[in-house]
């Protein structure tokens, strides 16, 4: 059964709302995104926001978790092409090379982590995204004989998050020195 034109329009509006949220959170900060501002950015009336989502918070959570899942999905090609654990570490670090710590996606993650300290649903959603990353990478490392692979994956991804936070403050840090340290974790 094909979707009706009204359902298709509804999906377009819903997608615009989610995209607007992903753009507004880094621009304004999580708590400064209002229903009115979000609706204006998406080109709809404020009532449409609550037609498609139970609350503004629910919309923000869905938008941010969707963006986080998309970024996390970038690990798959890294693992498909890396031949050694050291090469995988290099590839993971290279995959964050385009993030300055002050770019919209870095700010989105920072805002989400902060908001998650006050919202259990968001906190659990982020935990689930991170757990998926750690599980995939940990299994990949274990298959290649890395000791304590799950914990190693956890430390690597926590370090990547920290590197992005610090990159905003110290953009000129020695990335190769950091990479060398992280490669030692997987030997």
């Amino acid at each position: 059964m094909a979707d009706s034109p009204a359902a298709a329009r509804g999906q377009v509006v819903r997608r615009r709302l989610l995209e607007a949220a992903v753009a507004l959170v880094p621009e304004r900060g999580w708590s400064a995104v209002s229903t009115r501002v979000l609706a204006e950015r998406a080109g709809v009336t404020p009532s449409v926001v609550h037609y498609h989502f139970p609350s503004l918070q629910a919309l923000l959570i869905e938008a941010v978790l969707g963006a986080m899942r998309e970024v996390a999905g970038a690990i798959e090609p890294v693992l498909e092409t890396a031949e050694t654990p050291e090469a995988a570490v290099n590839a993971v670090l290279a995959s964050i090379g385009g993030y300055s710590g002050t770019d919209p996606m870095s700010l989105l993650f920072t805002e989400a982590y902060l908001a998650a300290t006050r919202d259990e649903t968001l906190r659990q959603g982020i935990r689930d995204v991170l757990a998926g990353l750690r599980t995939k990478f940990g299994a990949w490392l274990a298959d290649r004989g890395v000791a304590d692979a799950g914990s190693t994956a956890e430390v690597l991804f926590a370090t990547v998050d920290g590197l992005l936070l610090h990159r905003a403050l110290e953009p000129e840090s020695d990335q190769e020195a950091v990479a060398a340290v992280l490669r030692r974790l997987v030997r």
Side-chain angles (χ1 to χ4, degrees), residues 75-136:
I75 192 71
E76 305 259 347
V78 165
L79 298 180
E80 289 172 5
T81 59
E83 295 184 15
T84 65
E86 291 89 350
V89 167
N90 288 341
V92 166
L93 292 174
S95 75
I96 65 164
Y99 300 110
S100 66
T102 58
D103 63 278
M105 193 57 68
S106 295
L107 294 173
L108 182 80
F109 273 61
T110 301
E111 287 287 335
Y113 279 29
L114 182 58
T117 64
R118 294 173 184 87
D119 186 286
E120 180 57 35
T121 302
L122 179 59
R123 185 170 34 254
Q124 187 58 52
I126 293 173
R127 276 188 199 134
D128 292 345
V129 171
L130 294 175
L133 268 174
R134 287 191 305 262
T135 299
K136 282 181 187 153

Side-chain angles (χ1 to χ4, degrees), residues 141-159:
L141 290 171
D143 288 347
R144 282 144 188 89
V146 172
D148 202 6
S151 294
T152 300
E154 183 174 359
V155 167
L156 285 168
F157 285 118
T159 301

